[in-house]
Amino acid sequence: MTRALVKACLRRLVLASLALAFPAAGQEAAPTPAPEAPAAAAPAAADDGPLEEIIVTARKREENLQDVGSSVSAIGPQELERRFDIDLQNLANTAPNLIVDDIQQGPGSPAAISIRGVGTTDVEKNFDPTVGVVVDGVFIGVNSGAMLKALDLQSVEVLRGPQGTLFGRNSIGGVINITRGRPSLEEWGGEVRAGYGNHSDRQLDGYVEVPLGDTVAVKLGGALRRNEGWFDNLTLDKKVGDVEFGSITPSLLIKPSENFEFYYRFDRSWQNQDANTVQNLAQSDQAWCFFYAECAQGLRKPQSGNRYDVLQNGDDPYQSFFNTTLHIADLKWDINDRYTLEYVFGDFSTKEQVFQDWDGTARTLYHTDRPATWGQQSHELRLTYGGDRVTYTFGTYLWRSDYRIDLTSYIGFADFLFGLPPGTVLTVEQTVEQETDSQAVFFEGDYRITDDLTLTLGGRYTHDEKNSGLIDPLLP
């Protein structure tokens, strides 16, 4: 570029600037808008500010959800209050790739939980779940106890994908980590919720918390629920499908100093219900229809003619029950600004019985009576370190469970199988016991290489012993 061209460009730039600053005579200058004051921009800055910090315990220590290097969906207390969920099944829409169904086989609403297509749908307690349900740090080891009621929830976290390092081998699909509200040391509080729906569905639950001085607080919660069902049993001439649920949940918090606290919670629940309804859809080439003339009216039309009408004759004892007891103790000691030691004890047991009519007809072709008990105890000790660049969790875990089922089968098709007189009902008794002992050591740590790059390493060693066997009822 020549010197003359540069001068010409500068001259034009100066003349243009003067024209804007001093308009021609007789021409009104256009008003120049004043610059906005910084205060006026403050509301917009607040709306476009950073995301609200969400604290989760997905890795058994408190941390910002944005810093967790795994797939986690979390719901806090405010969102849970707005949702008004009834149980774990209602929480299935809180996260992608999560399915929670009621197996509808036996009392206690056995849960079939699947994350990313990995899950189990078996009601028997011999099988370990593939999606772990953890409540207040305690793993629930059976599907029939995993359908927790949505009572006094503080947070729900859905961890997708295997979580074997921190939660063990029973979490190859993922984990649903549930935390309930603890007593408050600051002020009195409480909450009551009530609901009503079709078929006399009634719900009432709530809690009250009372601080006893500066270091002790107690909390008492409870729930009652009832549904009268919506099926008509044409054989017994009565409505079926009743479900009654009740629970009581006292808890205690002791915090003698800023760096030490003890938390204890007791849960007792009971559920009485009619056995699950079954429809007979047997076709002409199937046993009930071919041998006993108990046939469906079509491929999609049951023998009763209506999906809400049933023909089951299992009336005594037709009621089933499912009772649970849960003890949780949590001791937490902040040794200093970096080290925290925590011990979590859990004791969970169930007692249940159901008399189930499986054939769906007015005959006794196949019925079962299934009383069962389950008990588990767990001990977990964790040491957590939080440094500037290094954080880790090291822990040990002990587990023991006992399971027993006394199954009685009433086989009404024994005349066809064994040539017995027509109408003969064969009774078969089976008793199965199972014991499981497990010990584990685990570690998971982070090393922050840069502000945007973190390396995570972890591992778990587990040793299991499981003994299961059929007990002959004729032996002492």
Side-chain angles (χ1 to χ4, degrees), residues 10-48:
L10 290 175
R11 188 181 304 113
R12 291 180 182 179
L13 179 61
V14 171
L15 291 175
S17 301
L18 292 173
L20 290 173
F22 303 102
Q27 183 180 1
E28 185 177 356
T32 302
E36 294 184 356
D47 294 339
D48 298 332

Side-chain angles (χ1 to χ4, degrees), residues 6-280:
V6 172
K7 287 183 177 181
C9 292
L10 290 175
R11 188 181 304 113
R12 291 180 182 179
L13 179 61
V14 171
L15 291 175
S17 301
L18 292 173
L20 290 173
F22 303 102
Q27 183 180 1
E28 185 177 356
T32 302
E36 294 184 356
D47 294 339
D48 298 332
L51 295 175
E52 179 184 356
E53 184 178 89
I54 301 176
I55 302 300
V56 297
T57 57
R59 297 196 296 172
K60 300 197 174 184
R61 58 180 182 265
E62 294 184 355
E63 55 188 341
N64 189 347
L65 177 61
Q66 301 298 321
D67 298 331
V68 178
S70 59
S71 180
V72 180
S73 299
I75 308 176
Q78 295 181 351
E79 178 65 20
L80 288 168
E81 288 182 2
R82 289 194 295 264
R83 292 174 56 88
F84 209 90
D85 295 309
I86 298 175
D87 55 27
L88 195 64
Q89 189 172 10
N90 299 131
L91 294 167
N93 62 0
T94 62
N97 312 118
L98 171 64
I99 298 176
V100 182
D101 283 329
D102 188 341
I103 298 178
Q104 293 289 330
Q105 295 184 24
S109 303
I113 306 175
S114 174
I115 297 180
R116 293 176 174 174
V118 179
T120 55
T121 58
D122 205 299
V123 68
E124 291 297 337
K125 298 176 180 60
N126 304 79
F127 298 94
D128 298 324
T130 55
V131 175
V133 174
V134 178
V135 52
D136 291 338
V138 175
F139 167 73
I140 304 300
V142 285
N143 291 332
S144 57
M147 190 69 79
L148 298 175
K149 303 298 181 183
L151 302 173
D152 190 20
L153 299 183
Q154 183 69 23
S155 67
V156 176
E157 302 167 3
V158 179
L159 290 62
R160 295 184 292 277
Q163 307 292 325
T165 300
L166 294 177
F167 291 94
R169 60 180 177 77
N170 292 319
S171 58
I172 61 174
V175 167
I176 300 178
N177 189 28
I178 298 174
T179 304
R180 277 97 57 90
R182 296 191 176 190
S184 174
L185 292 169
E186 298 177 358
E187 57 183 3
W188 287 56
E191 182 178 291
V192 175
R193 301 193 309 173
Y196 185 82
N198 294 339
H199 305 286
S200 297
D201 184 80
R202 302 180 293 275
Q203 306 170 26
L204 179 65
D205 61 72
Y207 67 86
V208 60
E209 51 189 352
V210 182
L212 304 176
D214 297 332
T215 60
V216 180
V218 295
K219 189 175 192 177
L220 179 62
L224 293 173
R225 291 176 179 173
R226 172 74 187 271
N227 189 297
E228 293 185 357
W230 51 85
F231 295 95
D232 290 314
N233 190 309
L234 304 183
T235 302
L236 303 177
D237 192 24
K238 68 176 186 179
K239 294 189 80 66
V240 294
D242 286 9
V243 178
E244 295 180 356
F245 171 83
S247 71
I248 182 172
T249 58
S251 58
L252 169 69
L253 178 65
I254 302 176
K255 193 169 184 178
S257 64
E258 287 296 326
N259 60 345
F260 181 84
E261 69 176 29
F262 169 74
Y263 169 67
Y264 169 76
R265 179 168 179 136
F266 171 75
D267 287 75
R268 178 76 169 90
S269 71
W270 55 95
Q271 181 167 316
N272 299 318
Q273 64 185 85
D274 288 332
N276 294 312
T277 54
V278 175
Q279 294 283 13
N280 177 29

Side-chain angles (χ1 to χ4, degrees), residues 354-365:
V354 55
F355 187 88
Q356 180 70 58
D357 179 342
W358 293 104
D359 53 71
T361 72
R363 300 188 183 202
T364 302
L365 294 177

Side-chain angles (χ1 to χ4, degrees), residues 137-139 343-348 376-380 397-400:
V138 175
F139 167 73
Y343 166 73
V344 180
F345 167 79
D347 185 299
F348 178 65
Q376 67 173 66
Q377 276 195 357
S378 62
H379 306 265
E380 184 168 356
Y397 187 77
L398 299 177
W399 163 280
R400 178 177 176 84

